[in-house]
Amino acid sequence: MFPQRIKTIMNMQPAPDITVLMPAYNAAAYIAEAIESVLHQSFENFDLLIVNDGSTDHTEAIVRSFKDSRIRLINRTNGGVAAALNTGLRFARGTYIARFDADDICYPNRLTEQYYFMQANPQYHIVGSGVDYMDRAGNLIFTSTPFNLTKKRTEAALLRTCPFIHSSVIYRKDSILEFGGYNEHAHTFEDHLLWLQVLKKYQGFNLPKSLIKVRLTPESVTMDERWHHPVFRKIKSDALSRGFISPAEGGKIDHILRAQRKDKVNYEAYYGLLAKKFLWNNHDCELAREYLGKLLKLTRYKFAAYGLLLLSALPRPVICNLYQIAKKCALTNEQI
């Protein structure tokens, strides 16, 4: 599972309470800001483990420019985010793992609030938080309300919606390793598949407060399911339902994703996501129309975009009411 040739910079300090685990691939544009946000945490007993997943830009040089003994670097050949995370779990020294991505930003009290919450509530083995989503320049797009993990949530709801925002979570390392870590064949949903398994035995919780800022870019944005090939959606749905994905299925979805890994498709997904978020969550119709216009310049055949354009002409109170009705319908469906 792990590469044979791993170059690592490690120190002999006592094991920290928390290892912040950051996979990085061609993250030179943002990783310095991400590292700074971790080093300025109010919580002190942590280390930052960065797994450089075969970057071809200046990611490694930027990491090495930080002269801080809390930073550890592992270089490995490119194998994808799940493989990078499993490598990180192998070398992590903390009792708790705080996940974090190389283009995001931690608020100063992130580790403090999650660590002491878990200390006070040992029944929870995974704890996520709310998230402020930002654009490439760091401007706020919208605040994400965390998934409400209550007993009313059905198994079907957990299958449809990932219960945690991955880069916001802190978890007990041993609990994750008990389930074998991340499935490296579950490309783009390795976290969702893992949470479903862990939550069958252990409890999870989402803190309502936003503790990180997640950066959305065309390169990193999680693609809307409707942009994916139907075969991808079918394989993912089946894998989540049974809690496992085979290497053969993983190979199929990897092939599909590679075929879709084009700038045009990435930007279509990016503009479509931002348009919806500005319309429904931020209620900024002007910006929503701006991104819908950019989307329709790339493709004239996303008919949902025309519907969103019509909705953007409605008064803000009407849009808010429609959004609340849609949310209530979705919640009702989850409880059936």
Side-chain angles (χ1 to χ4, degrees):
M1 180 180 296
F2 301 106
Q4 293 181 351
R5 297 181 62 186
I6 297 178
K7 298 178 182 178
T8 180
I9 300 172
M10 302 181 68
N11 55 55
M12 301 303 294
Q13 295 177 346
D17 291 321
I18 299 173
T19 289
V20 179
L21 178 54
M22 179 192 292
Y25 175 70
N26 288 350
Y30 307 112
I31 194 168
E33 189 175 12
I35 292 172
E36 289 282 1
S37 74
V38 175
L39 297 181
H40 289 93
Q41 289 293 295
S42 58
F43 188 87
E44 296 181 350
N45 191 18
F46 72 90
D47 66 355
L48 171 58
L49 178 57
I50 301 172
V51 182
N52 180 27
D53 189 37
S55 296
T56 57
D57 63 1
H58 301 297
T59 294
E60 180 182 353
I62 293 171
V63 174
R64 291 184 183 278
S65 71
F66 285 86
K67 308 303 179 184
D68 192 304
S69 62
R70 293 172 294 180
I71 297 175
R72 295 190 292 143
L73 173 66
I74 293 174
N75 286 322
R76 54 162 289 141
T77 55
N78 181 255
V81 65
L85 289 169
N86 283 335
T87 297
L89 286 172
R90 178 182 177 185
F91 286 94
R93 297 184 295 141
T95 302
Y96 298 95
I97 303 295
R99 271 286 291 112
F100 195 51
D101 287 330
D103 51 1
D104 297 341
I105 297 173
C106 278
Y107 288 129
N109 288 334
R110 183 230 166 140
L111 297 183
T112 295
E113 297 200 26
Q114 289 185 307
Y115 177 78
Y116 285 109
F117 178 85
M118 294 193 80
Q119 291 295 103
N121 300 274
Q123 70 271 31
Y124 297 120
H125 287 237
I126 312 170
V127 174
S129 78
V131 164
D132 291 333
Y133 282 96
M134 57 182 173
D135 62 17
R136 282 181 285 188
N139 301 310
L140 178 69
I141 301 172
F142 73 105
T143 297
S144 175
T145 303
F147 192 98
N148 187 14
L149 287 164
T150 67
K151 292 182 179 179
K152 293 182 180 179
R153 291 284 183 180
T154 65
E155 184 176 343
L158 290 172
L159 290 175
R160 288 195 301 269
T161 305
C162 187
F164 303 101
I165 299 170
H166 197 185
S167 59
S168 80
V169 301
I170 184 171
Y171 51 69
R172 296 176 186 270
K173 181 179 66 177
D174 289 346
S175 301
I176 299 302
L177 291 176
E178 180 182 340
F179 289 87
Y182 295 87
N183 189 311
E184 296 177 17
H185 305 296
H187 307 287
T188 74
F189 62 95
E190 60 279 334
D191 57 324
H192 194 173
L193 187 61
L194 177 60
W195 307 146
L196 291 179
Q197 298 307 301
V198 177
L199 290 175
K200 289 179 180 179
K201 182 173 182 180
Y202 300 116
Q203 295 185 58
F205 189 82
N206 272 314
L207 297 170
K209 183 178 180 180
S210 293
L211 296 179
I212 69 168
K213 294 170 72 174
V214 171
R215 194 185 309 269
L216 297 180
T217 71
E219 297 77 24
S220 67
V221 65
T222 299
M223 191 177 291
D224 191 308
E225 288 292 304
R226 283 169 290 187
W227 258 267
H228 280 310
H229 193 282
V231 173
F232 173 92
R233 297 197 297 269
K234 179 66 165 58
I235 293 174
K236 176 182 176 180
S237 176
D238 290 346
L240 291 174
S241 295
R242 66 174 181 264
F244 176 78
I245 183 168
S246 70
E249 290 172 318
K252 288 180 181 179
I253 62 174
D254 183 50
H255 177 76
I256 292 169
L257 292 172
R258 288 180 185 277
Q260 283 193 303
R261 200 169 295 158
K262 302 174 183 177
D263 284 345
K264 181 177 182 292
V265 177
N266 288 342
Y267 275 90
E268 286 178 12
Y270 180 67
Y271 292 147
L273 177 63
L274 264 61
K276 289 189 293 184
K277 294 307 179 183
F278 277 118
L279 180 64
W280 295 119
N281 301 86
N282 205 330
H283 308 299
D284 190 325
C285 294
E286 184 176 347
L287 275 174
R289 286 191 289 269
E290 177 183 329
Y291 282 106
L292 287 169
K294 292 180 178 180
L295 171 60
L296 291 171
K297 283 182 180 179
L298 292 176
T299 175
R300 299 290 182 181
Y301 302 106
K302 292 296 180 184
F303 298 109
Y306 296 102
L308 292 174
L309 273 175
L310 292 174
L311 287 173
S312 72
L314 297 174
R316 176 173 174 171
V318 175
I319 294 174
C320 293
N321 287 336
L322 289 173
Y323 182 57
Q324 292 304 318
I325 291 171
K327 287 178 66 177
K328 287 180 181 179
C329 289
L331 180 60
T332 299
N333 290 335
E334 288 176 3
Q335 294 175 344
I336 292 176

